[in-house]
Amino acid sequence: MAALTQEDNLDPEKQTLLNQHKEKHFTAGEVVRDIIIGVSDGLTVPFALAAGLSGANATSSIVLTAGIAEVAAGAISMGLGGYLAAKSEADHYAIELMREKEEITRVPDTEAVEVAEILARYGIEPHEYGSVVSALRKKPQAWLDFMMKFELGLEKPDPRRALHSALTIAIAYVLGGFVPLSPYMFIPRAEDAVVASVILTLAALLVFGFAKGYFTGNKPFKSALQTVLIGAIASAAAYGMAKAVHP
């Protein structure tokens, strides 16, 4: 049974009003979340690694080699983590969907009472929600979709979400990781390269933090400062520990 679409329930006049009204809500939250995860770690971890190796008096070529290896391993690890997380979410939804479908078939009266209870939470009176309950009982797929969303709070995941999440996080990690490493490609002395890396990476963290705050609805300037502070602390700690161990 196909899920009901908006057009199945609205008359032409109301549908026209909806078509004329353009929503401006931001709906790419999952993609932005994956980009934030990838870029944030991609900027910070190789940055700290490069600073630490520079503090241990390693050459630029060694720092670059170790950094590229870390970026490759980090991208694979982060991408795999994103894939498994999205896959687990999809598996959980499928299990709950089968369970809810079975309950609607086995104990429809109980499930109908649960619909009434859900609607009552929104202040809808019994004489008002009675017709809604009856209408849902006549349309099992709509009933199932309603229960999944309003009883369990689960949204149907995109079947391609796991792969897209893995690729987005991995690519974002690589792009972020090459920012702190790029000075070591052109500056032979690591002592000079680390200064350029710090300036470049902190500037990138500032821009990234601002963008993250803007797209997530937080205060952009506060987000930018927090992001820069975290990156600076991580790199300073790595550099300081390397100097202490290998003066």
Side-chain angles (χ1 to χ4, degrees):
M1 289 171 289
L4 294 179
T5 62
Q6 195 178 62
E7 289 79 1
D8 293 326
N9 298 310
L10 296 177
D11 58 52
E13 182 180 354
K14 291 185 175 61
Q15 188 60 50
T16 300
L17 288 175
L18 280 179
N19 292 337
Q20 292 173 348
H21 175 66
K22 302 299 182 183
E23 296 282 357
K24 297 182 179 180
H25 302 297
F26 184 71
T27 58
E30 291 182 338
V31 175
V32 170
R33 183 188 65 185
D34 289 341
I35 293 174
I36 288 174
I37 291 172
V39 174
S40 179
D41 280 11
L43 283 170
T44 306
V45 178
F47 183 33
L49 173 65
L53 290 174
S54 298
N57 300 322
T59 62
S60 285
S61 60
I62 292 177
V63 174
L64 185 59
T65 301
I68 291 174
E70 193 288 323
V71 168
I76 293 171
S77 176
M78 294 288 292
L80 181 59
Y83 178 87
L84 293 176
K87 188 69 168 59
S88 296
E89 182 181 341
D91 292 342
H92 173 64
Y93 183 90
I95 292 171
E96 292 299 327
L97 182 69
M98 293 301 297
R99 183 177 296 150
E100 193 63 35
K101 187 175 182 179
E102 179 187 353
E103 290 176 353
I104 287 176
T105 303
R106 183 168 50 86
V107 286
D109 292 338
T110 302
E111 292 297 299
V113 172
E114 289 180 353
V115 173
E117 182 184 22
I118 292 169
L119 294 172
R121 294 176 197 160
Y122 290 89
I124 302 175
E125 299 295 331
H127 69 278
E128 295 172 323
Y129 63 63
S131 58
V132 176
V133 175
S134 298
L136 286 175
R137 295 191 67 160
K138 296 175 183 178
K139 299 175 180 178
Q141 183 60 50
W143 190 3
L144 181 60
D145 293 341
F146 179 92
M147 298 304 285
M148 291 298 293
K149 182 172 183 178
F150 291 99
E151 182 190 20
L152 302 179
L154 297 175
E155 295 282 353
K156 184 177 181 180
D158 185 340
R160 300 168 297 179
R161 166 70 184 147
L163 181 58
H164 287 174
S165 178
L167 292 175
T168 301
I169 292 175
I171 293 172
Y173 190 95
V174 170
L175 294 176
F178 273 100
V179 171
L181 296 179
S182 58
Y184 295 91
M185 299 177 183
F186 307 102
I187 303 176
R189 294 182 70 251
E191 294 83 354
D192 298 330
V194 70
V195 176
S197 178
V198 168
I199 295 173
L200 184 62
T201 305
L202 291 182
L205 285 169
L206 190 67
V207 174
F208 169 69
F210 185 91
K212 180 178 68 172
Y214 178 83
F215 283 111
T216 58
N218 297 322
K219 297 178 180 178
F221 289 103
K222 182 179 179 181
S223 175
L225 292 176
Q226 288 176 338
T227 305
V228 169
L229 182 62
I230 292 171
I233 291 173
S235 62
Y239 186 86
M241 291 179 66
K243 276 294 185 184
V245 174
H246 194 287

